[in-house]
Amino acid sequence: MQSKLFIDGKWTDAREGGTLDVINPADERVFHKCAAGTAADIDAAVAAAKAAMAGPWSRTSGHDRAGYLRAIAAKIEEQKQALAEIEVRDNGKPLPEALWDVGDAAYCFNLYATYAEELDGRQGEVIGVPDERFQSRVKYMPAGVAGLIVPWNYPLLMAAWKVAPAIAAGCAVVLKPSEYTPLTALELGRIAAEVGLPNGVLNVVTGYGATAGARLSTHPDVRKLAFTGSVPTGIAVASAAARDVKSVSLELGGKSPIVVFDDADIEQTVEWVMFGIFWNQGQVCSATSRMIVEKGIAPKLIDRLSEEAKKITIGDGMAPGTLLGPLVSRTQYDKVLNYMDVGKNEATLVTGGARPSHLNEGYFLEPTIFADVPSSARIWNEEIFGPVLAVSTFETEDEALKLANDSEFGLAAAVMSQDHKRAERVADAFEAGVVWINCSQPNFLEPPWGGVKKSGIGRELGTWGLNNFLEPKQITKYLSSDPWGWYLKG
């Protein structure tokens, strides 16, 4: 495992000599140390990225960049098991989930290789204008040096979501991973070096948000900022970007609803509700953490959910059969446990609400379900980011939609119903950037991803993700041999 910063193709210690502890959330023990980069290291990384943009990298074709992207994808796939095991120790998630994430990361680099090649075909495309004496065409330029700040819940995958489109577009980047989960970002730097990615195109600076992250957000030579994380930090990043009029995209929090009608298939609903809130320990920005269920089906559905939640195997992510690992850190554990205590005073605890009795160490919490949750409750309105489901009931479709949309967030939403016309109608009425019908959380990399309201600005993934890192340039040419004749009369 790597320990140093990756800047300009070289491994280096932090300039101020600091380190950060890497803790296994399953046993709360430090198992590694990484360099804790500060503003000086960010400055060096940005300078390296800027030099790369000024050099041959800026003249590469999409086809050339695709070659690097596919080589990175191949290395990730080749090293999938080792990378996934690092992710488990670093983040805590069960190994099957980590293997899925690493596979998706490889797919992401391959996908953007294809988009980079397609970009060559779009360069110089002619845009029709109403005056035949002129020709307008569009070229797509890289946005410049890009600062990428990624969260701890999907460390390698979230890095791939940003690094792959940025490189496909021709940007040079500085990647700042979470201080809780820095290891696979550094492995990505190693892989980039192994495939011969030019120096300075990918730089990885591990460190704390208040130092390294803050400097990356305010650095005058960074022209594009892409951030995934909490709303308060996203607001700070956006404010910093506004001072220099930087391009910014934000993927922030959520408190996503899943609306369940009486005609929904109970067993399918149980599966998708659980997947929507207990996958990745509920540490998912799009987690469908508010279940809004029609009164007629509510008692039976809640009973089945409680029954199945109690069967979930909780333990170390490396242990066979584990389906719920520890939360990522002591800070997150304490936060979610506090919400569980708050919920006990706001609603009816159905199951969970505490540390599993058989686990005396590690940041483990039981899958938790609260029923009869009022719309004024904190556990109904605030993002918990843990395995906590809040349940409320409705009688009419309008009431369900009002409950679903009455939120400051708008990242995702889901509806469960066998009435397909109603399901489509409800999907259209959701105030959310991502909507699921008769499922929750499946995420493909080709459609756009992002939210409305306080859930963010802009879209990632698909060609939308590529466009995040491109600046269209209009080139208009006067074709006629006749004089324009506005001032100089013939």
Side-chain angles (χ1 to χ4, degrees):
M1 292 181 289
Q2 305 301 317
S3 301
K4 298 185 177 185
L5 310 178
F6 185 67
I7 298 175
D8 201 22
K10 305 174 187 65
W11 296 102
T12 179
D13 293 319
R15 280 154 177 75
E16 295 183 10
T19 61
L20 56 87
D21 292 338
V22 184
I23 297 171
N24 184 338
D27 61 18
E28 306 179 45
R29 292 179 175 85
V30 176
F31 70 93
H32 195 63
K33 288 183 180 290
C34 286
T38 58
D41 302 293
I42 291 292
D43 289 349
V46 172
K50 186 177 180 181
M53 291 298 301
W57 180 250
S58 65
R59 298 187 292 276
T60 56
S61 66
H63 178 270
D64 291 339
R65 297 192 293 272
Y68 293 115
L69 291 165
R70 287 204 170 89
I72 291 171
K75 285 283 186 181
I76 291 173
E77 192 63 43
E78 174 187 308
Q79 300 168 29
K80 181 193 250 184
Q81 184 71 30
L83 291 169
E85 290 179 7
I86 291 172
E87 204 86 304
V88 173
R89 296 186 71 192
D90 207 5
N91 168 275
K93 65 179 63 191
L95 181 61
E97 294 186 22
L99 286 165
W100 193 340
D101 292 354
V102 175
D104 272 1
Y107 183 89
C108 186
F109 278 95
N110 274 324
L111 179 65
Y112 280 99
T114 298
Y115 290 154
E117 292 167 335
E118 292 174 353
L119 182 60
D120 284 345
R122 293 166 56 195
Q123 295 288 13
E125 59 188 350
V126 175
I127 307 298
V129 295
D131 190 329
E132 63 184 15
R133 293 173 297 172
F134 295 88
Q135 180 197 71
S136 286
R137 53 194 174 90
V138 175
K139 295 203 73 174
Y140 297 91
M141 314 302 293
V145 175
L148 314 178
I149 303 175
V150 298
W152 45 257
N153 56 339
Y154 293 94
L156 181 61
L157 184 56
M158 292 296 98
W161 280 24
K162 291 176 171 55
V163 172
I167 290 177
C171 294
V173 307
V174 178
L175 172 64
K176 194 289 185 183
S178 168
E179 57 265 33
Y180 292 125
T181 54
L183 297 183
T184 47
L186 292 172
E187 295 301 312
L188 184 59
R190 173 185 57 77
I191 287 171
E194 288 177 1
V195 304
L197 188 69
N199 292 347
V201 173
L202 172 61
N203 306 275
V204 184
V205 179
T206 55
Y208 295 99
T211 49
R215 178 54 178 164
L216 187 57
S217 298
T218 59
H219 199 293
D221 289 333
V222 172
R223 297 309 312 150
K224 166 70 184 181
L225 281 170
F227 170 84
T228 297
S230 70
V231 172
T233 306
I235 291 171
V237 169
S239 299
R243 285 194 288 273
D244 286 329
V245 199
K246 302 181 194 295
S247 172
V248 63
S249 52
L250 305 172
E251 203 266 86
L252 307 177
K255 192 70 179 177
S256 301
I258 180 166
V259 174
V260 183
F261 287 94
D262 273 355
D263 66 343
D265 180 284
I266 284 279
E267 297 306 299
Q268 287 277 18
T269 299
V270 168
E271 174 68 25
W272 285 114
V273 169
M274 292 176 66
F275 193 78
I277 187 57
F278 300 140
W279 172 265
N280 203 36
Q281 295 63 251
Q283 298 170 140
V284 183
C285 52
S286 59
T288 37
S289 55
R290 291 185 297 141
M291 186 172 78
I292 302 168
V293 56
E294 196 165 356
K295 281 189 175 179
I297 201 176
K300 182 177 180 181
L301 179 56
I302 292 170
D303 284 348
R304 283 290 294 122
L305 283 168
S306 175
E307 179 184 1
E308 292 301 323
K310 291 172 184 175
K311 297 178 184 176
I312 293 175
T313 304
I314 309 170
D316 189 317
M318 291 301 297
T322 294
L323 289 177
L324 193 78
L327 276 69
V328 74
S329 67
R330 168 62 63 177
T331 298
Q332 188 65 14
Y333 172 87
D334 289 342
K335 173 190 168 187
V336 177
L337 187 60
N338 179 67
Y339 271 114
M340 288 178 172
D341 290 340
V342 167
K344 292 169 188 176
N345 294 318
E346 294 183 318
T348 302
L349 178 64
V350 176
T351 189
R355 166 187 280 279
S357 59
H358 67 289
L359 294 168
N360 297 318
E361 62 180 8
Y363 308 129
F364 295 98
L365 288 173
E366 296 171 322
T368 298
I369 300 171
F370 288 100
D372 308 315
V373 183
S375 60
S376 60
R378 287 183 61 194
I379 62 169
W380 186 259
N381 291 288
E382 298 176 18
E383 184 177 40
I384 297 174
F385 224 62
V388 181
L389 178 68
V391 183
S392 184
T393 59
F394 70 91
E395 293 183 348
T396 68
E397 183 178 316
D398 286 345
E399 183 186 359
L401 281 168
K402 183 178 179 181
L403 278 169
N405 290 333
D406 185 18
S407 172
E408 64 181 0
F409 299 108
L411 180 54
V415 56
M416 304 294 295
S417 175
Q418 295 186 72
D419 181 335
H420 298 298
K421 288 185 178 179
R422 175 168 62 185
E424 293 285 352
R425 185 171 64 243
V426 170
D428 287 345
F430 280 140
E431 295 173 1
V434 179
V435 174
W436 296 293
I437 296 176
N438 290 328
C439 57
S440 176
Q441 305 308 311
N443 183 42
F444 301 96
L445 303 190
E446 290 83 359
W449 178 270
V452 299
K453 297 189 276 190
K454 282 191 176 179
S455 288
I457 299 171
R459 294 294 182 270
E460 293 188 297
L461 301 184
T463 54
W464 296 267
L466 179 66
N467 291 338
N468 267 337
F469 296 95
L470 292 171
E471 294 289 356
K473 177 189 289 187
Q474 175 202 145
I475 302 173
T476 296
K477 180 190 296 185
Y478 186 56
L479 302 175
S480 176
S481 59
D482 297 330
W484 180 235
W486 187 266
Y487 292 106
L488 304 180
K489 310 298 182 183

